[in-house]
Amino acid sequence: MTTVTLADMDSCKLCRKGTRSWFTRHGLSWSEFVKNGLPAEAFLATGDGLARQVVEAAMAREGS
């Protein structure tokens, strides 16, 4: 299972302030994400194109 981390988000050059708002809109925990990362499935479940981009970055980092 791929875990998306803050480093993956940063590698996609996404604004952290905007990202925090995105987490709130999608019912995801920003603090949990920063501390431990979140499963890729949680991002993909949002149906958002940027979420897919971040998951792809995580998969590349993990070599998946």
Side-chain angles (χ1 to χ4, degrees), residues 1-14 16 19 22-23 29-43 50-51 53-62:
M1 171 183 8
T2 299
T3 299
V4 178
T5 66
L6 190 58
D8 301 317
M9 191 84 54
D10 289 344
S11 75
C12 293
K13 310 245 188 275
L14 298 175
R16 287 191 182 182
T19 300
W22 184 91
F23 270 72
S29 171
W30 173 256
S31 60
E32 180 67 24
F33 172 68
V34 170
K35 187 175 180 181
N36 300 311
L38 290 174
E41 291 78 12
F43 283 83
L50 289 177
Q53 179 184 356
V54 174
V55 168
E56 288 173 1
M59 291 174 72
R61 174 184 48 79
E62 291 183 352

